[in-house]
């Protein structure tokens, strides 16, 4: 098949055979940045228009690996094979070849090298939104917050407002800023992102994170609204409703949070790890708030049971374990915890080994908590605490393990340490956090010691909350 010189939305050259393939590829890029449910459809259209488009095959492989499902590794490897075969039919640009190299690194259990290769593309092609977005996602999965922000600090400002996908890039920048604690800058960037690109579900999500981490539940509810702004999104929309449920929980509206669980967060009972994480962490938070969640754990556990041996992402493994424990299936959770110990010692991926070390402590800590051994739960969750960044996910998502640690301390009678942790939590959130405020009030009533009394005395607004 003949081919001509074509350029994508970022004016980067792409090796496609027709204008139809170029247009479908541009739709794919916009959909990828928007987290649109139609992204696979646009990618399929691209490959239907040009089955020998190497870049599209490589991008598909990277997208498959980002789903962290064991059964998708072989299809991703097949994508690499198709991309390489396509290069024998027509020459590809160095940029396109580097995306293929990134896929090869990830398939070889070197995800951090994959991210570095994608970022190297940006040095010569600073407006390459594909490399930027895929690197952003990889760094997020790896817990590489500093590197995630450094990349966006370097490249996002140049997008300004004229690039057709500028808003989406600023949304990525907003999230990277938020995860590093630059809340005011993150909020500004996120609101700008959504103003420029109303379909920017990730930018809207970044602002929700800021409002969550700064204790502004009322603003969070208003910002997310009824979800119409993310109706186009893939399963990120379930996660955004999870954020809305957290804001409702922060206001003590447990009934509304439970309704959101049923009608939005788990309205589609998928087995995507991110969706299971939403469900498991929300049910756990509801139980910590004293809510009887009925048999809702059973559905999550059935999905998690099939994922016990996946071993693709520690963040996912811990939420599978949490789901199994919620349904009383301790054996499955223990199998995950034992696998994490094995991976910490011998997995070929250094990233997996690092994450599994803290993940194993957290998994056994959750098991101990489930079995009522709160001393052991506090010891293990406390040991895992400083290393959990390596499992990936956001601060808001990993906060569940912080809550479990605080609960373990209280239930094991370690009141002063619990008060210290809860006081730090309130300080980070501007004195507004219902979880911490209620537990500090409990400690006060129990006469919990000098540190608890000092903490309570310093946070009167939090107690009133």
């Amino acid at each position: 098949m003949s081919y001509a010189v074509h350029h994508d939305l970022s004016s980067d050259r792409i090796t496609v055979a027709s204008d139809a393939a170029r247009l479908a590829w541009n739709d794919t890029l916009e959909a990828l940045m928007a987290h649109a449910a139609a992204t696979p459809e646009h990618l399929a259209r691209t490959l239907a228009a040009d089955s020998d488009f190497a870049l599209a095959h490589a991008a598909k492989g990277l997208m498959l690996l980002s789903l962290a499902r064991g059964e998708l590794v072989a299809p991703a490897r097949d994508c690499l094979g198709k991309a390489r075969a396509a290069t024998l039919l027509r020459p590809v640009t160095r940029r396109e070849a580097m995306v293929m190299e990134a896929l090869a690194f990830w398939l070889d259990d070197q995800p951090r090298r994959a991210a570095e290769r994608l970022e190297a593309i940006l040095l010569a092609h600073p407006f390459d939104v594909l490399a930027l977005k895929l690197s952003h996602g990889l760094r997020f999965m790896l817990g590489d917050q500093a590197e995630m922000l450094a990349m966006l600090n370097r490249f996002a400002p140049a997008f300004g407002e004229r690039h057709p996908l500028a808003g989406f890039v600023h949304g990525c920048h907003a999230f990277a800023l938020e995860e590093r604690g630059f809340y005011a800058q993150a909020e500004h960037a996120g609101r700008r992102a959504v103003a420029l690109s109303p379909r920017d579900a990730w930018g809207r999500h970044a602002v929700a994170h800021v409002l969550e981490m700064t204790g502004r539940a009322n603003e969070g509810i208003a910002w997310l609204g009824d979800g119409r702004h993310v109706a186009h999104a893939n399963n990120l929309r379930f996660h955004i409703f999870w954020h809305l449920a957290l804001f409702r929980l922060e206001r003590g509206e447990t009934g509304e949070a439970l309704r959101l669980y049923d009608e939005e967060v788990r309205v589609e009972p998928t087995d995507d790890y991110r969706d299971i994480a939403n469900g498991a962490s929300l049910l756990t938070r509801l139980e910590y708030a004293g809510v009887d969640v009925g048999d809702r754990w059973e559905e999550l556990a059935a999905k998690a049971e099939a994922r016990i041996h996946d071993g693709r992402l520690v963040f996912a493994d811990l939420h599978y374990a949490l789901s199994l424990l919620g349904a009383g299936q301790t054996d499955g959770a223990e199998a995950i915890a034992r696998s994490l110990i094995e991976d910490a010692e011998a997995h070929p991926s250094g990233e997996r080994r690092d994450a599994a070390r803290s993940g194993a402590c957290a998994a056994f800590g959750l098991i101990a908590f489930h079995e009522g051994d709160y001393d052991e739960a506090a010891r293990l969750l406390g040991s895992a605490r400083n290393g959990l960044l390596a499992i990936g996910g956001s601060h808001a998502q990993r906060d569940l393990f912080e809550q479990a640690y605080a609960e373990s301390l209280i239930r094991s009678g370690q009141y002063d340490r619990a008060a210290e942790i809860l006081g730090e939590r309130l300080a980070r959130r501007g004195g507004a956090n219902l979880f911490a405020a209620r537990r500090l009030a409990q400690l006060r009533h129990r006469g919990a010691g000098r540190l608890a009394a000092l903490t309570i005395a310093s946070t009167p607004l939090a107690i009133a909350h």
Side-chain angles (χ1 to χ4, degrees):
M1 180 182 291
S2 63
Y3 68 95
V5 175
H6 293 282
H7 295 84
D8 65 15
L9 282 171
S10 292
S11 298
D12 286 317
R13 180 180 168 184
I14 50 175
T15 311
V16 290
S18 67
D19 202 49
R22 178 188 68 85
L23 292 172
W25 177 246
N26 282 344
D27 288 342
T28 302
L29 291 178
E30 192 278 344
L32 174 67
M33 299 300 287
H35 287 256
T39 306
E41 175 189 332
H42 293 308
L43 185 55
R45 282 177 45 232
T46 302
L47 289 169
D50 183 359
S51 60
D52 297 321
F53 184 17
L55 178 60
H57 285 297
K60 180 179 178 180
L62 288 163
M63 292 178 203
L64 289 174
L65 291 181
S66 74
L67 298 175
R69 300 165 69 92
E71 74 273 19
L72 295 182
V73 175
R77 199 173 299 281
D78 183 58
C79 288
L80 180 60
K82 289 178 178 177
R84 285 173 169 169
T87 66
L88 301 177
L89 302 176
R90 67 174 81 131
V92 297
T93 66
R94 178 59 186 145
R95 165 179 166 262
E96 291 171 313
M98 290 173 77
V99 176
M100 295 166 55
E101 291 165 6
L103 174 57
F105 277 130
W106 201 350
L107 284 167
D108 194 35
D109 287 322
Q110 300 181 76
R112 192 163 279 117
R113 290 195 68 184
E116 290 167 354
R117 185 53 50 93
L118 291 167
E119 288 155 11
I121 293 172
L122 292 164
L123 297 176
H125 303 273
F127 297 104
D128 183 351
V129 292
L130 177 70
L132 185 146
K133 185 65 172 177
L134 292 176
S135 165
H136 181 61
L138 248 172
R139 293 294 191 184
F140 177 45
M141 293 176 75
L142 293 169
D144 289 344
Q145 294 179 345
E147 294 82 358
M148 181 169 68
L149 179 57
M151 183 267 289
L152 283 152
N153 277 343
R154 180 169 187 174
F155 296 106
F159 277 80
E161 297 186 359
R162 291 189 299 274
H163 189 286
L165 301 179
F168 299 108
V169 172
H170 295 308
C172 292
H173 195 194
F175 183 75
L177 286 163
E178 180 277 326
E179 286 297 287
R180 292 292 286 173
F182 298 105
Y183 296 133
Q185 293 170 257
E187 184 174 355
H188 174 76
R191 291 182 184 275
R192 179 189 182 203
V194 172
L196 288 171
S197 300
R199 276 165 52 89
D200 185 16
W202 191 249
R204 187 170 295 277
H205 155 261
V207 175
H209 269 268
V210 171
L211 300 174
E212 162 69 21
M213 299 305 293
T214 54
R216 295 152 63 191
N218 291 341
E219 290 179 64
I221 291 169
W223 171 249
L224 295 181
D226 60 5
R228 73 180 69 182
H229 300 293
V230 295
H232 68 281
N234 56 20
N235 62 329
L236 178 61
R237 71 187 188 277
F238 305 141
H239 180 67
I240 288 174
F241 277 109
W242 175 83
H243 276 281
L244 183 58
L246 294 193
F247 290 133
R248 294 294 186 180
L249 266 180
E250 177 61 22
R251 297 206 318 191
E253 299 169 3
T254 55
E256 179 62 10
L258 200 59
R259 184 195 69 78
L260 286 167
Y261 179 94
D262 292 333
E263 297 181 10
E264 303 291 354
V265 176
R266 287 300 287 170
V267 65
E268 294 180 21
T270 77
D271 67 345
D272 185 294
Y273 81 88
R274 295 160 296 190
D275 302 339
I276 290 176
N278 293 334
S281 63
L282 182 52
L283 289 185
T284 301
R285 286 170 165 87
L286 283 162
E287 289 190 335
Y288 287 168
V291 177
D292 181 354
V293 301
D295 62 358
R296 290 175 177 83
W297 282 113
E298 303 300 327
E299 178 266 323
L300 287 178
K303 302 293 190 303
E305 189 173 15
R307 297 281 160 198
I308 288 174
H309 302 293
D310 246 22
R312 294 296 301 170
L313 188 68
V314 174
F315 176 87
D317 297 332
L318 289 177
H319 286 88
Y320 297 148
L322 190 65
S323 300
L324 292 163
L325 290 171
Q329 298 181 29
T330 308
D331 289 349
E334 288 181 346
I336 290 173
R338 288 193 298 271
S339 292
L340 288 171
I341 288 180
E342 293 170 4
D343 288 349
E345 296 173 348
H347 197 277
S349 168
E351 291 88 343
R352 174 83 182 175
R353 292 195 301 273
D354 290 343
R357 280 190 279 273
S358 294
C361 282
F364 278 111
L366 293 172
I367 292 168
F369 188 97
H370 175 74
E371 295 180 341
D373 187 349
Y374 300 119
D375 281 314
E376 181 70 353
R379 185 184 72 80
L380 289 167
L381 290 167
S383 296
R385 187 174 181 237
N386 291 332
L388 283 178
L389 183 62
I391 72 170
S394 67
H395 289 304
Q397 289 173 310
R398 290 189 307 275
D399 184 57
L400 175 71
F401 304 106
E402 185 82 348
Q403 291 188 30
Y405 179 43
E407 284 285 317
S408 300
L409 290 169
I410 292 170
R411 297 185 191 194
S412 62
Q414 300 177 60
Y415 298 142
D416 284 357
R417 178 58 176 155
E420 183 180 3
I421 295 296
L422 294 167
E424 292 171 358
R425 181 184 183 85
L426 277 173
R428 288 194 302 268
R429 289 166 169 78
N433 182 253
L434 189 59
F435 176 88
R438 283 180 169 173
R439 280 150 186 80
L440 283 169
Q442 292 169 4
L443 294 178
R444 178 185 59 190
H445 293 315
R446 289 175 180 176
R450 187 178 63 85
L451 179 56
L454 288 172
T455 303
I456 292 163
S458 69
T459 54
L461 292 177
I463 299 305
H465 181 79

